Amino acid sequence: MISQLFILSSKGDSLIYKDSSVRGEAGSDVINVFYEKVMALPGDQPPVVMNHGDLHFVHVRQGGLYWVATTTADSSPFSLIEFLNRLASLVKDYCGALTEKAVQMNFALIYELLDEVVDYGYVQSMSSDVLKNFIQTEAVSPRPFSLFQLSNVGLFGAETQQSKVAPSSAASRPIQSSREQGGKSEIFVDVIERMSVVIGSNGVLMKADVEGEIKVKCYMPNCSEMRIGLNEEFSIGKSQLRADNFQ
């Protein structure tokens, strides 16, 4: 049974962390304990299995990252090593690479994979053919820098909306042919969100704002009426028009 799973960078930064134990018996400081043990060992090849009291660390190095599993039970270390190697291969299949940047850019996808692969500490199916039926998050591939992409760079190097928003599958579907053949009336709605978060040096959330827009392409005949239900805290424009006043 696996208590915790985490992926660390070569500098010990936590990239992915998942607590699979029911009671959290392993504690929250296992990452620091593991990295301190690794750094205290001579040489560049620490032992694959290390102990800290009743807690056992099993890890492999893939892509310059530490892939670590902890357990308090008498689990077979060879089974955990095989699991970590297959997990690294699975992440590489989905993300395209095993690098720190790839893991950071696809953290949501990796957490979704872990939710399907490990259930309360027990390993489930790790077949890509099976998991593709459940994984909904699409992988994000890092792109090399190009001077031709400077048009998408905004203030202070932030990417503009055009570079961040990927066209949805619905918006890219051909609609002209269906209209010419008298197909069904269609309407496409894209909800684009941008989140701004300010976190203090102590890790406390100080401010969180969500901004965005709703884009609608309507091919309904005769100007059909459409109603959209919005949250009461939703505000529109600089006038701060509330959603309950929006029609």
Side-chain angles (χ1 to χ4, degrees):
M1 179 177 178
I2 298 174
S3 297
Q4 291 171 319
L5 273 171
F6 48 91
I7 304 174
L8 303 182
S9 68
S10 58
K11 298 180 180 179
D13 298 325
S14 177
L15 305 178
I16 299 294
Y17 175 84
K18 178 179 175 62
D19 192 340
S20 303
S21 59
V22 178
R23 299 182 300 273
E25 66 271 11
S28 58
D29 59 341
V30 290
I31 295 178
N32 294 331
V33 172
F34 168 78
Y35 194 71
E36 288 175 359
K37 281 183 168 293
V38 170
M39 292 295 100
L41 294 171
D44 297 332
Q45 297 295 332
V48 176
V49 181
M50 296 183 292
N51 299 325
H52 179 71
D54 295 333
L55 186 65
H56 308 288
F57 295 96
V58 180
H59 83 279
V60 296
R61 287 289 300 271
Q62 293 279 2
L65 306 176
Y66 293 98
W67 304 71
V68 190
T70 67
T71 179
T72 56
D74 293 331
S75 302
S76 170
F78 297 102
S79 299
L80 293 178
I81 293 172
E82 176 65 18
F83 163 73
L84 292 173
N85 284 322
R86 294 182 63 181
L87 177 62
S89 299
L90 189 65
V91 171
K92 184 177 180 179
D93 290 341
Y94 273 89
C95 301
L98 282 184
T99 62
E100 180 177 349
K101 185 175 182 180
V103 172
Q104 290 174 337
M105 295 180 65
N106 293 278
F107 71 95
L109 171 60
I110 296 176
Y111 275 117
E112 190 172 357
L113 281 172
L114 291 179
D115 289 339
E116 298 294 338
V117 168
V118 181
D119 187 16
Y120 289 104
Y122 294 96
V123 179
Q124 308 299 312
S125 175
M126 299 192 68
S127 172
S128 299
D129 295 335
V130 176
L131 291 173
K132 68 181 181 181
N133 298 321
F134 304 100
I135 303 301
Q136 303 297 326
T137 305
E138 296 183 0
V140 179
S141 300
R143 295 178 299 176
F145 175 77
S146 174
L147 292 176
F148 295 102
Q149 299 175 354
L150 289 178
S151 59
N152 292 330
V153 179
L155 187 61
F156 302 115
E159 295 187 2
T160 60
Q161 173 184 323
Q162 288 76 12
S163 63
K164 295 293 289 182
V165 178
S168 64
S169 58
S172 62
R173 288 173 51 192
I175 57 176
Q176 187 65 26
S177 59
S178 61
R179 295 180 66 195
E180 292 176 352
Q181 298 174 4
K184 296 182 180 180
S185 301
E186 296 175 324
I187 183 170
F188 302 94
V189 180
D190 286 342
V191 179
I192 304 171
E193 295 180 332
R194 295 178 295 274
M195 178 177 290
S196 301
V197 179
V198 179
I199 301 177
S201 58
N202 56 354
V204 177
L205 179 65
M206 302 178 62
K207 182 180 179 182
D209 295 325
V210 178
E211 299 179 354
E213 56 186 304
I214 300 176
K215 291 186 176 181
V216 179
K217 283 187 178 181
C218 181
Y219 300 97
M220 305 290 289
N222 302 325
C223 298
S224 302
E225 180 182 359
M226 182 183 66
R227 296 182 180 181
I228 300 178
L230 302 173
N231 190 286
E232 294 181 356
E233 299 180 357
F234 184 84
S235 61
I236 301 171
K238 297 181 179 180
S239 61
Q240 298 296 312
L241 178 64
R242 309 305 298 181
D244 50 6
N245 297 324
F246 177 67
Q247 297 179 352

